Amino acid sequence: MAELKVRPGRDLSVIGSAALVRALHAAGLVDRYTLLIHPLTLGSGARLFGAGPLTEFTLTGCVTTTKGVVIAHYDRGV
């Protein structure tokens, strides 16, 4: 992934794999998160951010859909 990241071209995206996101985050390969926050509870599930490295991100944009879903964009802090 690190090799792909340095190549010119479009952004790489991960959709629906918390384990892959955690591994990429731990390796310092995540520059931006787009989180879709749905207004519901499931009762239980895997945490996206567990005991990984502390990394600061800055909120760069946020919109709420008509269904109440919050779409938040975060960039890696400097």
Side-chain angles (χ1 to χ4, degrees), residues 3-26:
E3 193 175 304
L4 286 174
K5 185 178 173 187
V6 297
R7 290 184 187 173
R10 300 180 60 148
D11 291 339
L12 300 171
S13 297
V14 175
I15 300 172
S17 177
L20 178 57
V21 168
R22 280 191 291 275
L24 294 172
H25 181 80

Side-chain angles (χ1 to χ4, degrees), residues 35 37 59-65 69-74:
L35 302 178
I37 304 160
L59 180 66
T60 58
C62 184
V63 64
T64 304
T65 71
V69 176
V70 176
I71 303 171
H73 303 277
Y74 293 90

Side-chain angles (χ1 to χ4, degrees), residues 11-65:
D11 291 339
L12 300 171
S13 297
V14 175
I15 300 172
S17 177
L20 178 57
V21 168
R22 280 191 291 275
L24 294 172
H25 181 80
L29 296 173
V30 178
D31 295 324
R32 179 181 308 120
Y33 281 104
T34 298
L35 302 178
L36 280 67
I37 304 160
H38 295 261
L40 57 90
T41 58
L42 297 175
S44 65
R47 296 182 65 123
L48 180 57
F49 304 102
L54 175 64
T55 306
E56 292 188 19
F57 284 82
T58 302
L59 180 66
T60 58
C62 184
V63 64
T64 304
T65 71

